[in-house]
Amino acid sequence: MMEQNKLSPFIAEFNGVSLRYPGSPEVLKDIHFALTPGSFHFMTGESGAGKTSLLSLLYLHHEPTRGRIRLFGQATDTLSRSAKAQIRRQIGVVFQDFRLLEHLNAFDNVALPLRLCGEKESDIRKHVSEMLTWVGLEKQMKAFPNALSGGEQQRIAIARAVIHKPALLLADEPTGNVDDAMAKRLLYLFLELNKLGTTVVVATHNEGLIKSFNFPQLHLANNHLKIIPPSEKYSDMTAKLFKREVKNG
Amino acid sequence: MAKKSEFLFSKSSTRFFLPWMCALMVFIATLISAGGIVISHSLASWQRGVSSSLTVQIPTYDSQGLPRGDAVSQDLEQALTLLRTAPGVLGATILNNAEMAELMSPWLGTDAAINELPLPKLIDVSIDTATKPMLERLKSELNDVVPSAVLDSHRIWLDDLITLSNGILNLIAFVLLMLLTTVAITVIYTTKSSLSIQQSIISLVHMMGAKDLYITLKYSMYSFKYAFWGSFIGFVLAIPVMLGLVVFLKSVSTFMFQASLTHLEWLALISIPVGMAALAFCTTFYTVQRYLKKFL
């Protein structure tokens, strides 16, 4: 995992960030928030509220039109291309449309982040096999994405996002194609990673999950961000966790 | 489990188009380069042969076949006087019988009785290569003084031949430049086409933290591999054609064409397919680097 800048206590910090696509009005306006290491947030909001755009700012796919983003303590607007690549290696992303490579089998899709980091093939074989077993797809190791169901593809996408133990995991509607039972199972998988220190942001519409897990929400409405704390009545544990973050932050 | 590339090169036009184009270009480039080397050799040989001397002939028999007697000596004296004072001429000497015999030995053998043959007297004229004499003017002045004298004019047509050969060499250089430009432009377009097809893959691996150099080298090595194989085939096909031409030129004239290559020149020819593949590598590298700038 990336060594965080010792001067900054945050994994990600947004100060007055706005985003506008060419020829369109601003999709995000004056966003302020910070993610402490090891935190877990849901990102909520109506369709088109800007959740995917906000996530894309977090994984450096877009640059803000205004404001400043700091990731791992470094201002992103001052980073070299090589430094940005290093930061991206610390981020795992689960895309809404999975974005699996159709010409690679499940094993090679999951192995991709490790290969990009230059890991040894023997280590890759071991870690990828373990990961595929963890997500229950050890028998589909050689299967190509088009031979897998939506739920299986989703689990491959998640396995790929977490295989390199990222410091920050961003998941865009990761439970959109699976039933409630599988959705909960995947969330527990994220929770396990979170317990190991990974900061997690999950964009979702699934009210059931939000209530069940009761983590703080980054709620987008009218292009602005509001932080909704976890509800006391749902879970004492997550509420305490959030209070601790507020205290630290 | 075999490692498979994340890039989908099997759909790239590079794989189908680049080897054939490189094969054709290297075939042509090898042949015209070899031709250029042969012309350069011949040119150097011609220039060595004609650069420092001229020959003037004074006939010893008249047009009726009768000996000219003392008139020959008079003509020789007058011609020598004119030649020795002409600008650009360093010296003029009459070839003696021994020198004539040596000169004629390839045709008449070493035992020929030169005195008994109706051969003209020859004057060997050394010229200053830095300030060459005006040959047409010298010829005219010589004929005014000695109407029967013949200024050997091979230099004039060799000068024209040398000019023509230099022109051909320049043309070869231009054609080679055009071939290289064509390869570079083709590589740029096939690479751009491949990048466009694989945009989603590149975007994904870029987001996963792939560095520009990683992506660029994958593409460049791919181009190099296919360009090299194509170039190698083109070169192998060019060798028998080239050797056939060498044999043909040698059979036509060993004087006109110095149709043999040194080890260094063979090495230069072998460097053509390698150079073509290197050009494909560098062009792809540059194209991909530029393309990646569109990603943050």
Side-chain angles (χ1 to χ4, degrees):
Chain A
M1 263 183 222
M2 187 173 212
E3 251 188 63
Q4 204 184 333
N5 187 321
K6 290 191 174 72
L7 295 174
S8 171
F10 302 114
I11 288 281
E13 202 179 345
F14 278 49
N15 285 311
V17 169
S18 298
L19 178 66
R20 179 200 300 274
Y21 296 113
S24 305
E26 280 185 332
V27 288
L28 298 171
K29 284 181 187 168
D30 198 27
I31 305 289
H32 291 268
F33 75 93
L35 299 174
T36 50
S39 62
F40 196 122
H41 288 82
F42 284 119
M43 187 180 286
T44 56
E46 298 291 314
S47 288
K51 297 191 292 294
T52 302
S53 296
L54 185 52
L55 289 176
S56 74
L57 288 171
L58 276 164
Y59 60 76
L60 296 174
H61 186 55
H62 289 117
E63 277 180 330
T65 35
R66 279 190 289 134
R68 175 168 264 203
I69 298 171
R70 295 177 77 85
L71 289 175
F72 303 100
Q74 300 176 75
T76 57
D77 54 342
T78 59
L79 291 174
S80 66
R81 291 180 68 78
S82 178
K84 280 181 184 168
Q86 284 295 349
I87 281 190
R88 286 189 186 102
R89 288 180 183 190
Q90 304 307 310
I91 303 172
V93 186
V94 182
F95 297 99
Q96 198 169 3
D97 53 355
F98 319 144
R99 300 189 63 178
L100 298 177
L101 299 184
E102 294 294 323
H103 64 289
L104 298 184
N105 61 26
F107 181 95
D108 286 326
N109 263 294
V110 176
L112 192 52
L114 297 178
R115 286 187 174 138
L116 292 177
C117 293
E119 292 276 330
K120 276 193 251 169
E121 276 301 310
S122 55
D123 291 344
I124 290 173
R125 269 195 296 278
K126 182 170 165 265
H127 290 139
V128 173
S129 300
E130 283 171 5
M131 179 57 69
L132 284 170
T133 305
W134 196 41
V135 295
L137 290 171
E138 67 276 18
K139 288 180 183 167
Q140 277 92 343
M141 214 174 265
K142 290 182 181 175
F144 286 87
N146 55 14
L148 297 170
S149 69
E152 287 170 333
Q153 289 187 37
Q154 194 125 23
R155 279 183 278 160
I156 297 289
I158 290 167
R160 185 182 65 186
V162 302
I163 183 74
H164 57 305
K165 299 183 180 69
L168 173 62
L169 176 66
L170 307 170
D172 194 359
E173 298 286 358
T175 57
N177 287 279
V178 293
D179 57 30
D180 283 350
M182 179 55 75
K184 279 194 175 175
R185 201 175 145 193
L186 291 176
L187 251 292
Y188 280 119
L189 194 151
F190 291 156
L191 269 176
E192 275 193 57
L193 273 173
N194 181 241
K195 280 180 196 163
L196 293 171
T198 298
T199 306
V200 181
V201 177
V202 178
T204 184
H205 281 111
N206 191 325
E207 287 292 333
L209 276 185
I210 295 165
K211 283 179 181 172
S212 297
F213 288 88
N214 199 27
F215 283 111
Q217 294 174 45
L218 303 170
H219 183 74
L220 282 163
N222 302 320
N223 314 112
H224 287 88
L225 181 88
K226 187 170 78 176
I227 300 176
I228 303 175
S231 170
E232 295 281 354
K233 71 178 179 182
Y234 290 119
S235 165
D236 287 345
M237 185 196 81
T238 47
K240 280 174 191 167
L241 184 69
F242 179 69
K243 279 178 184 169
R244 196 181 71 205
E245 279 176 26
V246 171
K247 193 178 165 190
N248 291 343
Chain B
M1 207 172 284
K3 183 182 169 184
K4 200 172 173 186
S5 174
E6 58 273 46
F7 297 105
L8 196 53
F9 289 121
S10 58
K11 282 189 179 173
S12 161
S13 54
T14 304
R15 187 179 175 184
F16 304 103
F17 194 58
L18 194 60
W20 291 109
M21 191 198 57
C22 284
L24 180 66
M25 294 301 177
V26 166
F27 181 82
I28 298 169
T30 304
L31 288 183
I32 64 170
S33 298
I37 291 169
V38 168
I39 290 173
S40 297
H41 279 188
S42 306
L43 200 58
S45 163
W46 300 335
Q47 281 171 333
R48 269 198 307 275
V50 299
S51 60
S52 58
S53 65
L54 290 172
T55 309
V56 173
Q57 299 177 30
I58 306 291
T60 50
Y61 287 79
D62 63 17
S63 55
Q64 311 295 318
L66 300 170
R68 294 180 62 220
D70 292 343
V72 176
S73 305
Q74 268 185 340
D75 284 354
L76 281 171
E77 280 304 315
Q78 284 177 321
L80 280 174
T81 307
L82 174 80
L83 290 168
R84 282 170 179 164
T85 55
V89 173
L90 296 175
T93 52
I94 302 166
L95 294 188
N96 59 34
N97 284 347
E99 288 167 331
M100 287 285 284
E102 190 188 340
L103 193 65
M104 302 305 289
S105 62
W107 293 275
L108 305 178
T110 49
D111 301 327
I114 293 292
N115 282 336
E116 295 167 18
L117 294 172
L119 296 174
K121 286 286 184 186
L122 297 181
I123 302 172
D124 182 38
V125 184
S126 301
I127 58 169
D128 183 356
T129 50
T131 54
K132 290 176 187 173
M134 303 289 285
L135 292 179
E136 289 298 337
R137 190 175 154 194
L138 183 63
K139 191 176 177 182
S140 165
E141 285 176 357
L142 185 65
N143 286 138
D144 287 345
V145 180
V146 185
S148 61
V150 178
L151 178 68
D152 195 341
S153 61
H154 66 276
R155 187 186 171 86
I156 295 167
W157 67 261
L158 268 177
D159 270 349
D160 290 344
L161 195 60
I162 288 167
T163 306
L164 177 68
S165 301
N166 277 324
I168 292 171
L169 285 178
N170 287 334
L171 187 66
I172 285 173
F174 178 74
V175 171
L176 281 175
L177 189 68
M178 287 294 103
L179 288 180
L180 294 177
T181 309
T182 306
V183 171
I185 290 172
T186 310
V187 169
I188 287 172
Y189 279 97
T190 53
T191 304
K192 278 187 173 177
S193 151
S194 178
L195 288 167
S196 167
I197 292 168
Q198 302 197 68
Q199 182 167 0
S200 59
I201 297 175
I202 293 167
S203 168
L204 181 73
V205 295
H206 177 76
M207 275 188 276
M208 286 181 173
K211 295 192 174 177
D212 289 357
L213 189 63
Y214 175 88
I215 300 170
T216 308
L217 282 178
K218 286 256 175 176
Y219 268 87
S220 303
M221 286 310 294
Y222 186 79
S223 283
F224 181 85
K225 186 174 90 175
Y226 281 96
F228 183 78
W229 275 114
S231 300
F232 179 75
I233 291 166
F235 184 72
V236 168
L237 291 176
I239 289 175
V241 179
M242 199 166 62
L243 293 177
L245 284 173
V246 166
V247 171
F248 170 73
L249 289 177
K250 279 186 172 172
S251 71
V252 170
S253 167
T254 48
F255 166 71
M256 283 298 288
F257 300 105
Q258 306 295 309
S260 59
L261 305 179
T262 64
H263 292 310
L264 202 63
E265 286 157 352
W266 273 111
L267 201 64
L269 288 181
I270 290 168
S271 74
I272 291 175
V274 180
M276 198 65 90
L279 176 71
F281 178 93
C282 294
T283 311
T284 307
F285 193 94
Y286 170 77
T287 309
V288 178
Q289 285 274 308
R290 272 183 65 107
Y291 175 83
L292 290 176
K293 294 284 183 279
K294 72 191 265 188
F295 298 103
L296 287 180

